[in-house]
Amino acid sequence: MDKALESLINKAKNGCQDSLCDIFEMYKPIVLKIRHRTYLKDYDLDDWLQEGRISCLQSVETFDATRGVTFGNYFKGNFTRHTYSLIRKQEAKKRKSPDVVISFDDYIKSEEMTRLDITTVGNVEYIFIRESIETFSADLSEFERQSFLKILSSDSDMILSEQELRALSRAKRKLKKHLL
């Protein structure tokens, strides 16, 4: 290994920020090359350079010259793996925004309408639905109203009788008419 690079790495391991900046500037083209091959949503050049600096710092801290790998290859491998981790994090299902947007009419027709859930309906839609439920309850019979309120306030393991299911179906149809 080059003595100048070895000296910079040792200084950076001992906390010299200038040495770390010099090392990063030497290997910045690796970051730029990986940036051109990889897409990360909402990442601009500054974000890529910051991730590169983080990976460079980690590479400097863990680099062992006795293993027979050059620092450049070591940094490139670490940064590539770091980039893959960022992609996995970005593509995780729970972090993805819904790709499909459905109309309110289609939502009303869906099976999800049988159970109003604040997590599946936006706040404005939820408020609109709650207000509509209050005004449309006058259209329901007492049994339909009780069945409807039972399904709104219950857990998912609730079992409904056949009569309650029919009453709920009628209430659902009346709610669709009321909302449309």
Side-chain angles (χ1 to χ4, degrees), residues 1 3-23 57 60-61:
M1 178 166 58
K3 294 292 181 189
L5 179 60
E6 187 176 347
S7 173
L8 282 174
I9 290 173
N10 288 332
K11 286 179 185 178
K13 279 186 178 184
N14 292 326
C16 179
Q17 293 296 316
D18 292 334
S19 297
L20 184 62
C21 288
D22 291 342
I23 293 170
L57 174 64
V60 164
E61 290 174 348

Side-chain angles (χ1 to χ4, degrees), residues 17-160:
Q17 293 296 316
D18 292 334
S19 297
L20 184 62
C21 288
D22 291 342
I23 293 170
F24 180 71
E25 286 302 317
M26 289 170 60
Y27 294 100
K28 187 176 175 180
I30 292 173
V31 174
L32 299 176
K33 183 176 181 180
I34 292 174
R35 176 182 179 238
H36 288 290
R37 290 189 324 206
T38 311
Y39 173 75
L40 287 170
K41 183 179 179 186
D42 298 329
Y43 270 55
D44 61 7
L45 179 61
D46 291 334
D47 296 323
W48 277 96
L49 294 176
Q50 183 65 27
E51 294 298 335
R53 285 183 190 97
I54 292 168
S55 185
C56 184
L57 174 64
Q58 292 168 344
S59 296
V60 164
E61 290 174 348
T62 59
F63 180 68
D64 184 7
T66 62
R67 293 192 166 227
V69 176
T70 65
F71 181 77
N73 284 335
Y74 185 70
F75 170 66
K76 183 179 179 181
N78 284 345
F79 186 65
T80 302
R81 285 188 293 280
H82 180 71
T83 304
Y84 291 156
S85 294
L86 293 172
I87 292 169
R88 276 193 302 275
K89 182 186 270 187
Q90 196 175 70
E91 293 298 313
K93 185 176 181 180
K94 67 182 178 182
R95 291 181 184 88
K96 278 190 162 186
S97 63
D99 292 337
V100 179
V101 178
I102 62 170
S103 70
F104 190 66
D105 294 336
D106 291 340
Y107 178 75
I108 290 171
K109 294 174 186 172
S110 72
E111 289 302 314
E112 293 177 30
M113 191 60 198
T114 59
R115 183 176 310 278
L116 295 177
D117 184 2
I118 191 71
T119 60
T120 59
V121 180
N123 291 336
V124 174
E125 291 172 333
Y126 184 77
I127 292 168
F128 173 73
I129 291 170
R130 287 305 252 181
E131 289 175 356
S132 295
I133 289 171
E134 291 171 7
T135 59
F136 109 98
S137 64
D139 297 341
L140 300 177
S141 70
E142 185 58 33
F143 189 67
E144 289 170 343
R145 186 178 303 111
Q146 292 302 321
S147 298
F148 193 71
L149 291 174
K150 185 176 179 181
I151 196 78
L152 287 177
S153 62
S154 69
D155 298 331
S156 60
D157 354 337
M158 180 191 56
I159 299 173
L160 295 175

